[in-house]
Amino acid sequence: MECPICGSDNITVLKSKETSAKSKHINDYLLRCNECEHVFKDRVTQKNPISCRLIVSENENSKKTSINLYPDEVLKCGEVLLADDGQVKVNSIETREGRRDSALVSDIKTIWATSLEIPARIGLSIDFGGKVKSYKLDLNRDFEINTNDIIRIEDYTLKVHIIKTGSKKLSTGSARADVIKRVYTKPIDLKTYDYNLTDNIVQINFKDDYY
Ligand SMILES: [Zn+2]
């Protein structure tokens, strides 16, 4: 809001009043400019929120729900929304014209999102020189794994070689569990380790080849 006389945005709200009409929300303000002391009225009108279809994935499961959003706001992929069951991150937005990276809320058909209230599920592979043992692990979303970390799992001590995230393969550096897809490790002959992830195992697979 700006002063209509001097154009300053250094404004004090003297009074405000909210009115809810059928499809909109009206805020009336009595304002004073701190530069020229002019007192004036202003009105901000916002359309009432509308219900959008929301599909939240929690690992293998997905749940249909809905969320109320303002129709004249723009929603972008990557944004975090507060849904009924907690925070979700928007992965994909479907409009009548197809999938979009961002869209006006009133154009949205369905929002696809991932729950941020559940642990991150990552894969971990142990390369036994041809045979691969593979795990699914649930980790805190902000748990950080570095290349060269020494991990204990069951009776194995492992060294991290490669961390694969959604967008790249890291042979040096680190990543948070919520972006990691899979960690590639090799067994090493050590008794000490940085951390033990045995309690985080949710699934184990043995395979005779790489994948
Ligand atoms: Zn002014």
Side-chain angles (χ1 to χ4, degrees), residues 2-11 32-40:
E2 273 182 7
C3 171
I5 302 297
C6 73
S8 167
D9 58 3
N10 183 2
I11 304 282
R32 190 184 63 222
C33 173
N34 294 328
E35 299 292 332
C36 73
E37 305 209 326
H38 176 62
V39 174
F40 60 103

Side-chain angles (χ1 to χ4, degrees), residues 59-89:
N59 295 323
E60 283 82 16
N61 303 317
S62 63
K63 209 160 70 181
K64 280 184 202 170
T65 172
S66 65
I67 187 166
N68 289 333
L69 297 171
Y70 289 103
D72 39 15
E73 282 180 0
V74 171
L75 184 72
K76 292 192 186 85
C77 286
E79 263 182 61
V80 174
L81 301 174
L82 188 61
D84 288 345
D85 288 339
Q87 289 195 314
V88 301
K89 190 175 167 194

Side-chain angles (χ1 to χ4, degrees), residues 132-148:
V132 174
K133 192 169 183 180
S134 169
Y135 297 83
K136 280 184 180 167
L137 308 172
D138 275 358
L139 302 176
N140 284 335
R141 308 192 74 85
D142 58 1
F143 189 85
E144 208 168 83
I145 298 181
N146 285 269
T147 50
N148 296 327

Side-chain angles (χ1 to χ4, degrees), residues 29-207:
Y29 296 101
L30 185 64
L31 306 160
R32 190 184 63 222
C33 173
N34 294 328
E35 299 292 332
C36 73
E37 305 209 326
H38 176 62
V39 174
F40 60 103
K41 287 179 180 172
D42 206 347
R43 168 175 278 194
V44 176
T45 306
Q46 193 166 34
K47 287 181 185 158
N48 282 342
I50 55 169
S51 174
C52 297
R53 210 160 89 98
L54 173 68
I55 297 178
V56 178
S57 68
E58 297 179 344
N59 295 323
E60 283 82 16
N61 303 317
S62 63
K63 209 160 70 181
K64 280 184 202 170
T65 172
S66 65
I67 187 166
N68 289 333
L69 297 171
Y70 289 103
D72 39 15
E73 282 180 0
V74 171
L75 184 72
K76 292 192 186 85
C77 286
E79 263 182 61
V80 174
L81 301 174
L82 188 61
D84 288 345
D85 288 339
Q87 289 195 314
V88 301
K89 190 175 167 194
V90 177
N91 294 329
S92 176
I93 298 165
E94 194 183 338
T95 68
R96 268 154 209 89
E97 285 79 43
R99 302 262 174 148
R100 295 284 180 271
D101 287 337
S102 71
L104 198 63
V105 166
S106 56
D107 291 338
I108 293 174
K109 258 177 80 182
T110 306
I111 301 164
W112 307 80
T114 309
S115 172
L116 298 180
E117 304 295 331
I118 56 165
R121 184 159 297 178
I122 70 158
L124 182 142
S125 300
I126 309 174
D127 174 9
F128 290 101
K131 290 200 174 186
V132 174
K133 192 169 183 180
S134 169
Y135 297 83
K136 280 184 180 167
L137 308 172
D138 275 358
L139 302 176
N140 284 335
R141 308 192 74 85
D142 58 1
F143 189 85
E144 208 168 83
I145 298 181
N146 285 269
T147 50
N148 296 327
D149 274 358
I150 309 295
I151 301 177
R152 185 78 173 174
I153 279 194
E154 297 183 300
D155 296 331
Y156 310 113
T157 306
L158 311 166
K159 188 173 183 192
V160 176
H161 284 265
I162 289 173
I163 299 170
K164 193 178 162 207
T165 69
S167 53
K168 52 193 161 191
K169 268 189 175 181
L170 302 172
S171 53
T172 58
S174 66
R176 276 166 50 117
D178 58 357
V179 299
I180 294 175
K181 295 286 181 212
R182 181 164 290 273
V183 173
Y184 295 87
T185 72
K186 285 181 181 167
I188 53 166
D189 197 13
L190 260 185
K191 289 216 166 58
T192 56
Y193 47 84
D194 297 320
Y195 45 86
N196 191 324
L197 295 181
T198 306
D199 288 343
N200 301 80
I201 297 172
V202 288
Q203 196 186 315
I204 304 173
N205 279 312
F206 235 133
K207 289 218 172 184

